[in-house]
Amino acid sequence: MIDIIDHILIAVPELDGPVADYTQLTGRLPSWRGSHPGLGSVNALFRFSNTYIELVAPKGEGRFGDILRTHLEKSGAGIIGLAFGVEDAAGAAAFLREKGLSASDPLPGEGADESGAFSPRRWKNVMLPPEETNGLFMFLIEQEDRLALPFAPLVKEGEGRAAAEAIDHVVINTPDADNVIALLQGKLGLRLALDNTVKEWGVRQIFFRTGRMTIEVISSLDEKKRAKEDHYWGLTFRYPDLTKARARLLEAGVPVSDIRKGRKKGTVVATPKGATFGIPTLLLAPERAE
């Protein structure tokens, strides 16, 4: 049913600063910048090879703008939700109802491009009540045309190996990993790739795979350190060459840690110390590129 993670939503108070930050971080310009007519929000989209990131901010009156304001007042800027891609919204809604979820009927949506360079993008959303998704904002989306959103262009021609090419994984922090497994595997039908307890790190890690991307679920083994509620936590960008990416970021004035071996075999990682609006963020690349 779900074949991709269509996009990751990040709530921000306004667009200009966050767009500039993510342009620096990724080495790419937004694919799209526009609005949701009637919903009270504006957005900027960065398309990568396997998904896209939506920076979304409240503007004007509307139901979604109110949701964003509430989130920003409570938690500040950060990951607010996941949109799972499907080819058949009506069929997906029926499937989820069979699994016991109160999925909405497909709801039509439209995004308008502020530049006028693109035709409006259209989709159908299947919404899920947060009380049935462990409090996590998530929904299903059937895009009218998945290819309508272009790949985020490079800031500087010839620097493709220094720019982000994909999202490797997004992280959910939870006090109850079994509940998240019951939701993602048992009801949404995502593939559980690994369930691993690492005592030396003090965490249980669960990995779900779909559409060339991973959802990592983490839960502390120490009850005193466990999250109080489920929430979206971190994000990892994948780069072709981390040495080139780090040099580009340092030249742009973005502090970055030294490169070190990643926990995943055959990878190297570095941690940016800016341009992430407080989201724990990791930069990852194949070790062979170094």
Side-chain angles (χ1 to χ4, degrees):
M1 181 191 64
I2 293 171
D3 61 346
I4 59 171
I5 296 175
D6 188 83
H7 62 282
I8 301 162
L9 295 91
I10 297 177
V12 291
E14 54 84 31
L15 286 184
D16 289 342
V19 165
D21 283 344
Y22 258 29
T23 295
Q24 281 191 326
L25 185 70
T26 66
R28 296 188 178 278
L29 298 166
S31 306
W32 167 286
R33 188 161 171 168
S35 62
H36 301 122
L39 292 182
S41 58
V42 291
N43 64 353
L45 313 181
F46 289 79
R47 161 68 72 183
F48 302 100
S49 65
N50 59 348
T51 191
Y52 68 88
I53 284 179
E54 177 178 10
L55 302 180
V56 61
K59 186 174 183 180
E61 295 183 2
R63 178 176 54 85
F64 192 38
D66 292 341
I67 291 172
L68 292 169
R69 290 185 186 92
T70 298
H71 177 88
L72 290 165
E73 289 171 5
K74 177 184 176 183
S75 306
I79 303 170
I80 188 174
L82 288 181
F84 296 103
V86 297
E87 294 284 358
D88 176 8
F95 173 87
L96 292 178
R97 289 175 192 139
E98 290 177 0
K99 293 290 186 178
L101 292 171
S102 303
S104 74
D105 290 331
L107 304 171
E110 180 176 298
D113 167 43
E114 71 174 14
S115 72
F118 301 99
S119 300
R121 295 170 49 250
R122 296 182 175 87
W123 55 81
K124 297 175 185 176
N125 286 339
V126 175
M127 307 307 295
L128 300 172
E131 59 269 20
E132 296 180 6
T133 59
N134 303 339
L136 296 169
F137 177 50
M138 55 179 60
F139 59 95
L140 277 59
I141 183 168
E142 176 193 338
Q143 298 277 3
E144 183 179 73
D145 180 3
R146 285 182 178 177
L147 301 181
L149 185 64
F151 201 62
L154 294 171
V155 171
K156 187 175 180 181
E157 188 176 351
E159 289 198 350
R161 291 193 61 76
E165 64 177 352
I167 302 299
D168 190 80
H169 62 279
V170 61
V171 182
I172 295 171
N173 198 342
T174 179
D176 190 334
D178 291 328
N179 269 351
V180 180
I181 291 173
L183 172 66
L184 297 183
Q185 181 186 41
K187 295 187 176 180
L188 298 186
L190 300 185
R191 180 173 70 88
L192 175 59
L194 180 66
D195 186 348
N196 191 33
T197 296
V198 188
K199 291 183 179 180
E200 57 266 37
W201 300 340
V203 296
R204 181 181 175 190
Q205 294 176 299
I206 300 99
F207 298 90
F208 294 87
R209 289 284 297 172
T210 185
R212 297 185 297 118
M213 189 176 152
T214 297
I215 299 173
E216 178 183 358
V217 179
I218 60 171
S219 186
S220 175
L221 299 180
D222 185 341
E223 290 186 14
K224 295 179 181 178
K225 296 180 180 179
R226 281 181 193 161
K228 292 182 174 58
E229 60 184 10
D230 288 7
H231 62 280
Y232 298 107
W233 184 73
L235 199 58
T236 296
F237 290 88
R238 194 185 313 149
Y239 292 75
D241 188 322
L242 198 50
T243 296
K244 292 181 182 296
R246 181 175 182 273
R248 176 184 59 76
L249 285 165
L250 291 173
E251 185 178 353
V254 179
V256 188
S257 73
D258 291 338
I259 294 172
R260 59 193 185 275
K261 284 187 177 293
R263 290 180 173 177
K264 182 179 178 181
K265 185 177 179 180
T267 66
V268 288
V269 297
T271 306
K273 300 176 182 178
T276 65
F277 10 101
I279 299 171
T281 300
L282 200 63
L283 315 180
L284 176 146
E287 190 171 19
R288 63 179 180 274
E290 306 312 312

